[in-house]
Amino acid sequence: MEQILKYFPNLTERQIEQFRMLDELYHDWNSKINVISRKDIDNLYEHHVLHSLGIADYIRFKPGTEIMDLGTGGGFPGIPLAIMFPECKFHLVDSIGKKIKVCTAVAEALGLENVTTRHCRAEEEKQQFDFVVSRAVMPLMDLIKIIRKNIKKEQKNALPNGLICLKGGELDKETMPMKNHVTISSLSDVFHEEFFETKKVVYVSL
């Protein structure tokens, strides 16, 4: 939790309380349904919450922005972003029902009225959004083919609508086909923990 406050010192009391609650909620749910690896649950804030908030550092979504988190798993990056941007709407989608069950329960426990969830495959979701966010669910080109239909035409943010992914490692080959539309930012420039050395935010305007 100290890491969250170190990098995001201007949180409201409600946001601080919601971020604090994540620890107990995820430990409790993880003991019933394994949504975060057992080895990694103790790194919840650094590896999952702060990592998700790399997107919040990259873009400040304007109020009213609608965002889909595709392949959300246990709710990352969607739940931390929904806490950070209470005036935006987040739609969390995953093809695995038990993961969506956890997302729904966590969002309800936190009182996040700006979160909806759906258990379905990405191809089945037809709603449109300003942005799609994702955490390394599949290769970039495969993801773009699936989500192009979900991106609204009208713009309201400083960045054009598109895809914002959290990825790691060497991305040159993966991003080459979209090179004129891709921006890659290193999270190590923002967060100084060793975990973020190879972590990137990849933005594709669509």
Side-chain angles (χ1 to χ4, degrees):
M1 190 61 211
E2 292 73 32
Q3 289 167 312
I4 308 301
L5 292 168
K6 177 169 91 172
Y7 292 112
F8 297 94
N10 299 319
L11 298 173
T12 65
E13 288 301 319
R14 178 167 167 74
Q15 286 172 318
I16 291 168
E17 178 58 24
Q18 287 171 321
F19 279 123
R20 282 196 199 288
M21 288 170 70
L22 292 177
D23 187 53
E24 187 177 342
L25 284 167
Y26 276 107
H27 272 86
D28 182 44
W29 274 105
N30 221 50
S31 65
K32 300 179 240 182
I33 297 172
N34 194 17
V35 287
I36 294 170
S37 79
R38 297 272 190 263
K39 293 198 297 267
D40 212 29
I41 188 69
D42 290 332
N43 297 313
L44 175 73
Y45 282 102
E46 184 176 311
H47 293 187
H48 300 279
V49 181
L50 192 57
H51 190 204
S52 297
L53 294 177
I55 291 174
D57 180 82
Y58 186 75
I59 176 173
R60 305 298 297 177
F61 294 118
K62 286 193 174 166
T65 302
E66 297 183 353
I67 299 122
M68 174 166 69
D69 176 6
L70 191 59
T72 187
F76 301 100
I79 297 261
L81 291 175
I83 295 173
M84 188 62 80
F85 298 106
E87 295 176 333
C88 299
K89 292 181 179 171
F90 290 84
H91 185 56
L92 279 49
V93 173
D94 204 281
S95 61
I96 298 171
K98 66 180 183 179
K99 292 185 175 179
I100 285 296
K101 180 181 176 184
V102 173
C103 291
T104 306
V106 168
E108 284 175 1
L110 295 171
L112 290 174
E113 293 175 3
N114 59 335
V115 171
T116 55
T117 58
R118 185 178 177 197
H119 170 215
C120 71
R121 293 178 65 241
E123 292 83 354
E124 295 167 46
E125 183 54 79
K126 300 293 194 277
Q127 292 184 74
Q128 291 200 317
F129 304 87
D130 300 294
F131 291 93
V132 173
V133 297
S134 181
R135 213 164 59 135
V137 291
M138 63 181 78
L140 203 56
M141 288 307 296
D142 296 345
L143 189 52
I144 288 166
K145 280 178 195 153
I146 292 170
I147 60 110
R148 210 180 267 281
K149 69 183 184 321
N150 301 111
I151 301 292
K152 288 182 186 178
K153 295 284 183 281
E154 4 15 294
Q155 313 280 340
K156 58 163 73 91
N157 283 269
L159 277 182
N161 295 355
L163 171 67
I164 307 172
C165 279
L166 294 164
K167 283 187 166 279
E170 183 47 62
L171 297 169
D172 287 352
K173 197 178 287 184
E174 192 176 335
T175 57
M176 182 59 75
M178 298 294 295
K179 67 176 184 292
N180 297 330
H181 301 274
V182 174
T183 306
I184 301 173
S185 300
S186 295
L187 282 177
S188 58
D189 294 341
V190 182
F191 304 141
H192 304 132
E193 288 78 3
E194 190 180 334
F195 174 74
F196 296 103
E197 274 180 17
T198 62
K199 300 290 187 283
K200 315 271 197 325
V201 176
V202 180
Y203 161 67
V204 186
S205 60
L206 293 172

